[in-house]
Amino acid sequence: MSSTPATHPRVVVIGAGIVGCSLADELTARGWTDVTVLEQGPLPAPGGSTSHAPGLVFQTSPSKTLTAFARYTVEKFNSLEVDGVSCFNPVGGLELATTPQRLADLHRKAGYAASWGIRGEIVSAARCKELWPLIDETSVLGGFHTPDDGLARALLASRAQMARAIGRGARFLDRHTVTGIEQEDGRVTAVVTDRGSFPADHVVSAAGFWGPVIGRMAGVDVPLQPLAHQYAKTEQLPELAGSQTEASKPILRFQDRDLYFREHHDRIGIGSYAHKPLPVDPFGILPYDEARANDMEMPSSYPFTEEDWAPSWDDCRWLMPALRETEIEEGFNGVFSFTPDGMPVLGESRKLRGFWLAEAVWVTHSAGVAKAVAEWMVDGRASIDLHECDLTRFEAAQRSPSYIRERGSQQFVEVYDVLHPLQPMERPRPLRVSPFYARQQELGAVFLEGGGWERPHWYETNAPLVDGLQVPERDAWSARYWSPIAAAEAKATREKVALYDMTPLRRLEVTGPGALGFLQRMTSNNLRKKPGAVTYTLLLDETGGVRSDLTVARLAPDRFQVGANSPTDLDWLSRHAPDDVQIRDITSGTCCIGVWGPLARDLVQPLTRDDFSHEGFGYFRAKETCLGHVPVTAMRLSYVGELGWELYTTADLGLRLWDTLWEAGRRHGVIAAGRSAFNSLRLEKGYRAWGTDMTDEHNPFEAGVGFAVRMDKDGFVGQEALQRTLDGLAGAEPARRLTPLLLDDPAAVVLGKEPVYVDGAPAGYVTSASYGYTLGRCVAYAWLPALATGTGVHIEYFGEKVPATVADEPLFDPKMTRIRR
């Protein structure tokens, strides 16, 4: 089949809810006007989640990306109207705290708002009462008021965007039920419905909770779980009698009881997340007409379950005494979608080229998601970082139907919970374990979780090493999922030697006659080196944004081992690989131990006949050798700033490798160390974590990784854009940069995502932060305007302004003498 036409591609969008309508508007605005939107129900209210959505738009989220989606949605809907009625009612938002823990969380949320550019402030209980007179302020400790939040009129916004898209050439066809997706040579060719077929170069599934059904037709799994959610309306309230507007008070959250409220003229609408999860089988949801025939208002509206509502109704009446004299007039259980991590599922499937997902999207984020997906389709990339939403982000172990159901249901439970940034999921665990898991358990490992992997954060058997250390006490929040044992493990790494389980880091094998040329083209650094060389390099997009960072070891002329970050890296490389290159994910079949510390060579050298001296095994070099009975690939790398090696072997030999190193290390005082110490040590050295410290929103020069770019190399992705960036700088510093900060108070800590103030105004935000036990100060990296070393700033931590100072990097061992010895 021929490739997609460069101009006027044929696009079929499945689903005319708020996402499908928004996407049609955004695509046609960018010149892609051959757009057909297919909907199985009637327009303009086809019966999906959009048709019953209460429309609350709270913009602030711990996710910078979700906040950007919501901000654009507010801006866009504010600019749209139908028959003189605005598509957005900016009544503001108010979140209440009735417990000290929630009030602290609202302070943290106010910090997110400042970091991401949303107006908001913490207000008193009296001010909460002014904003919502029906509440009993004696039970309220305070609130978070966001004046630019409000109510999206989702059906009106759908109509407005539909009209604009139609005006540019799009067509919307209701009563068309999709029955199949046609494909040829791995590319989508048409959408089949009960009323005919529609040729397509691109198909976008914006079917909401029907997404898995459409995905199955295309042979693409869609990791979302529909769940039912209770929503009720009260009888008329005397206190709201005579209301001339749909709503005038802020949308209200009472998260301590998993409730939210909004006005409906003289009634109050109430939503509850307090009930048990009510998962719905997407393959069992009735089409529109069948739902109506079964006395359902619409497919997304299930019967109200009174028994689930009773406790929430008591909580409503406790908060609002006026409700004690009224009853619920109507209610329903509305269906909407959750993913295993609570984020949308966006992007093009590699299994079926031209088949896109725009799923698990709430009204809050709808226009922002549509804009990003339209940019992605038309321009090849979105203008904001989408790695948290990329459909390829889930590991294979996270895509099973049982995992999706269990984790999606838990996301429902946790919608309004106070969640710590390190808080791991509780189930299903353990899911993925390294070959060292049994030994780690024997050493009292405290595991957190990431990507399904059990990851030791510290080991309780190291507790005696804390004696005599001066470790500052922590506040209750930063002390969660932390132990002073991390300080002891960091100290042991700096002074002796430690073993780190690096197995969860992704490993790819790239082979074939064209492997070198392919990797040269795809990455920023020069890989044309002799076998045995290891190179730190970057994956860039066409705009020069940092898609990922890689460690590439050339093990043979046509064989490379690539240390990557996520499944998205595999997807990106595989999309661009020529026929003479093979890419294989070898993570699950292999394992890795980091052996780091000044005694690392003393531990490893007696186990091998090969020369592990500095002269015989230089920094950023690799060797295939044996340690004892275990064949390993040894790479002289260190992400903790100490002498050492990453040692790779097959999973079946992993336990033997651990035992070999452990026994050899006893005389040197070897310990096992966890991710908590690792993160502290890597920040002292200024090593970046992709996805946290830098994303494709940043170029290498401002991110501080320009050393990994060889501009004199021929033809790599992003090169031309970087050259334009350099020409624009003309030798000057970038206007913003990833900046190292040291907190002034030796006892102070921050955790990440806090706003940073310069001259009293928010100027940026923290990415990574950890206490630097070697330095005796908390280290925080932050995106800020270019600031001179020694400049004083303030980081807002739970409402308190914590002083910090811009520092030079690397903060520890700037001459690299400890690594290169």
Side-chain angles (χ1 to χ4, degrees):
M1 178 182 172
S2 61
S3 60
T4 303
T7 59
H8 304 297
R10 298 165 298 179
V11 180
V12 174
V13 178
I14 302 173
I18 189 64
V19 178
C21 292
S22 297
L23 181 58
D25 183 41
E26 295 288 340
L27 285 171
T28 55
R30 287 166 174 77
W32 281 23
T33 55
D34 190 350
V35 175
T36 300
V37 183
L38 302 175
E39 174 54 58
Q40 68 169 350
L43 292 174
S49 299
T50 301
S51 300
H52 67 69
L56 284 72
V57 177
F58 287 92
Q59 297 174 81
T60 306
S61 164
S63 166
K64 180 174 177 285
T65 298
L66 287 187
T67 302
F69 288 158
R71 183 169 55 239
Y72 181 78
T73 300
V74 168
E75 293 170 356
K76 185 174 187 181
F77 289 3
N78 256 320
S79 70
L80 299 175
E81 63 177 42
V82 176
D83 299 331
V85 179
S86 173
C87 294
F88 190 78
N89 184 0
V91 293
L94 179 63
E95 302 182 43
L96 301 177
T98 58
T99 65
Q101 294 81 6
R102 181 66 62 181
L103 185 60
D105 188 59
L106 293 186
H107 277 286
R108 189 163 60 102
K109 185 166 287 186
Y112 293 146
S115 291
W116 315 143
I118 302 297
R119 286 202 303 157
E121 62 174 341
I122 299 296
V123 296
S124 67
R127 178 59 176 153
C128 293
K129 177 72 171 179
E130 291 177 9
L131 292 166
W132 253 91
L134 273 61
I135 67 170
D136 177 6
E137 78 278 15
T138 63
S139 303
V140 175
L141 302 180
F144 176 47
H145 181 221
T146 45
D148 299 322
D149 289 342
L151 291 164
R153 298 183 173 104
L155 286 178
L156 280 187
S158 297
R159 287 176 56 193
Q161 294 177 102
M162 187 189 311
R164 299 204 317 182
I166 291 172
R168 302 185 191 108
R171 57 177 175 166
F172 285 72
L173 303 176
D174 64 1
R175 302 292 188 174
H176 281 65
T177 299
V178 175
T179 58
I181 307 293
E182 292 187 345
Q183 52 186 284
E184 182 180 329
D185 296 331
R187 185 167 190 94
V188 70
T189 58
V191 176
V192 182
T193 76
D194 58 350
R195 298 174 65 179
S197 295
F198 297 84
D201 302 304
H202 295 275
V203 174
V204 186
S205 177
F209 49 69
W210 280 295
V213 179
I214 301 300
R216 179 175 292 183
M217 297 178 192
V220 175
D221 59 318
V222 180
L224 68 81
Q225 174 62 53
L227 286 108
H229 161 61
Q230 290 199 303
Y231 192 78
K233 290 182 183 179
T234 67
E235 299 173 332
Q236 292 177 319
L237 294 177
E239 292 82 356
L240 300 180
S243 173
Q244 300 300 309
T245 61
E246 177 193 16
S248 59
K249 300 175 184 61
I251 51 177
L252 183 68
R253 277 175 167 169
F254 180 24
Q255 292 157 302
D256 288 324
R257 295 293 187 274
D258 295 305
L259 293 165
Y260 64 81
F261 304 83
R262 59 153 294 180
E263 296 169 280
H264 291 279
H265 295 285
D266 55 2
R267 293 166 172 79
I268 293 179
I270 307 165
S272 172
Y273 292 100
H275 55 85
K276 66 181 182 293
L278 301 170
V280 176
D281 180 5
F283 295 91
I285 299 175
L286 298 176
Y288 186 91
D289 290 329
E290 288 186 39
R292 297 285 288 180
N294 282 271
D295 297 323
M296 296 171 62
E297 182 180 348
M298 61 185 79
S300 60
S301 178
Y302 278 53
F304 193 63
T305 48
E306 296 281 357
E307 66 277 11
D308 293 315
W309 176 253
S312 291
W313 187 227
D314 289 340
D315 291 331
C316 294
R317 289 171 155 179
W318 177 78
L319 179 68
M320 297 185 187
L323 299 183
R324 297 168 190 169
E325 305 302 322
T326 188
E327 297 294 338
I328 294 300
E329 185 173 75
E330 59 179 304
F332 67 98
N333 290 2
V335 182
F336 63 140
S337 304
F338 286 83
T339 59
D341 60 3
M343 298 294 287
V345 181
L346 312 178
E348 183 187 21
S349 170
R350 187 163 55 88
K351 291 182 179 178
L352 180 58
R353 299 299 301 272
F355 183 80
W356 295 75
L357 298 181
E359 298 290 11
V361 182
W362 295 7
V363 170
T364 300
H365 311 113
S366 55
V369 163
K371 175 176 182 281
V373 173
E375 291 173 335
W376 202 346
M377 295 175 70
V378 176
D379 303 326
R381 74 182 297 274
S383 56
I384 64 172
D385 168 46
L386 297 181
H387 83 273
E388 293 177 307
C389 309
D390 196 302
L391 65 87
T392 64
R393 70 187 182 272
F394 294 112
E395 304 283 351
Q398 297 173 306
R399 305 185 79 100
S400 69
S402 58
Y403 184 94
I404 292 166
R405 180 184 175 94
E406 185 167 359
R407 291 303 307 152
S409 296
Q410 187 61 24
Q411 288 296 328
F412 177 92
V413 171
E414 295 176 353
V415 162
Y416 282 168
D417 285 0
V418 177
L419 298 176
H420 192 277
L422 292 177
Q423 185 167 333
M425 68 180 188
E426 296 180 2
R427 299 183 309 274
R429 290 181 64 190
L431 183 62
R432 306 176 78 188
V433 298
S434 78
F436 327 126
Y437 183 65
R439 297 292 184 265
Q440 293 165 342
Q441 288 180 304
E442 293 168 2
L443 294 170
V446 175
F447 294 96
L448 301 186
E449 180 272 342
W453 288 101
E454 294 297 316
R455 300 186 178 199
H457 270 243
W458 66 86
Y459 293 83
E460 289 294 334
T461 52
N462 292 328
L465 301 178
V466 180
D467 294 344
L469 293 183
Q470 300 299 313
V471 184
E473 292 187 6
R474 292 197 172 198
D475 64 276
W477 184 253
S478 63
R480 293 183 68 186
Y481 308 105
W482 172 85
S483 169
I485 294 172
E489 294 176 359
K491 184 174 187 290
T493 307
R494 291 277 187 241
E495 295 180 355
K496 293 184 180 180
V497 61
L499 305 185
Y500 288 82
D501 181 2
M502 306 303 289
T503 300
L505 299 184
R506 182 162 302 277
R507 292 172 291 285
L508 309 177
E509 183 182 71
V510 181
T511 58
L516 174 61
F518 167 65
L519 290 173
Q520 280 284 80
R521 178 170 58 86
M522 295 302 297
T523 71
S524 62
N525 212 335
N526 182 25
L527 306 181
R528 197 174 296 279
K529 302 172 183 177
K530 293 180 180 179
V534 183
T535 307
Y536 177 79
T537 187
L538 307 173
L539 283 181
L540 306 177
D541 63 23
E542 292 290 351
T543 70
V546 181
R547 283 191 57 93
S548 189
D549 61 345
L550 309 176
T551 302
V552 180
R554 191 175 192 186
L555 302 179
D558 294 341
R559 179 165 63 93
F560 296 80
Q561 181 171 308
V562 177
N565 284 296
S566 74
T568 305
D569 294 341
L570 173 61
D571 179 77
W572 176 257
L573 290 171
S574 298
R575 286 177 183 273
H576 293 85
D579 292 339
D580 61 351
V581 173
Q582 295 77 48
I583 304 174
R584 189 165 64 98
D585 189 331
I586 60 172
T587 309
S588 297
T590 56
C591 58
C592 177
I593 300 175
V595 182
W596 291 314
L599 301 182
R601 183 175 289 117
D602 297 327
L603 189 160
V604 174
Q605 183 62 82
L607 300 173
T608 179
R609 295 180 178 179
D610 284 308
D611 184 0
F612 271 57
S613 69
H614 182 61
E615 294 75 20
F617 197 155
Y619 190 52
F620 266 82
R621 298 292 298 172
K623 282 186 181 182
E624 293 182 297
T625 183
C626 289
L627 297 180
H629 297 93
V630 182
V632 300
T633 299
M635 298 187 196
R636 192 169 167 198
L637 307 174
S638 174
Y639 284 91
V640 299
E642 296 293 336
L643 171 69
W645 288 264
E646 292 180 359
L647 303 173
Y648 299 88
T649 192
T650 53
D652 59 322
L653 290 168
L655 189 60
R656 185 60 180 261
L657 176 61
W658 179 281
D659 289 345
T660 299
L661 295 170
W662 189 259
E663 185 60 33
R666 285 180 180 274
R667 71 186 69 179
H668 305 296
V670 71
I671 68 161
R675 298 289 297 182
S676 187
F678 175 89
N679 201 44
S680 170
L681 297 169
R682 72 103 181 161
L683 278 173
E684 289 183 332
K685 284 297 295 180
Y687 294 143
R688 277 57 168 154
W690 184 85
T692 302
D693 297 319
M694 58 186 181
T695 69
D696 61 6
E697 292 183 3
H698 312 109
N699 70 55
F701 310 119
E702 59 192 7
V705 289
F707 64 88
V709 177
R710 293 292 179 266
M711 292 301 296
D712 57 352
K713 188 177 78 165
D714 290 337
F716 63 87
V717 174
Q719 185 176 28
E720 293 181 2
L722 290 187
Q723 188 59 59
R724 290 192 295 271
T725 297
L726 289 173
D727 292 344
L729 290 173
E733 288 292 317
R736 64 171 181 175
R737 62 187 179 98
L738 188 60
T739 305
L741 304 174
L742 283 175
L743 274 62
D744 295 351
D745 182 353
V749 294
V750 297
L751 299 182
K753 299 188 178 181
E754 297 89 355
V756 181
Y757 288 75
V758 178
D759 296 329
Y765 59 92
V766 174
T767 58
S768 295
S770 179
Y771 199 86
Y773 301 108
T774 317
L775 303 173
R777 291 284 191 282
C778 182
V779 180
Y781 272 76
W783 280 103
L784 290 169
L787 299 172
T789 300
T791 301
V793 301
H794 287 86
I795 303 173
E796 184 177 320
Y797 182 72
F798 287 96
E800 299 292 327
K801 299 295 195 302
V802 180
T805 302
V806 175
D808 277 329
E809 61 175 341
L811 303 168
F812 175 78
D813 188 26
K815 295 184 179 180
M816 303 284 283
T817 56
R818 300 178 69 91
I819 294 177
R820 302 176 185 273
R821 61 179 174 181

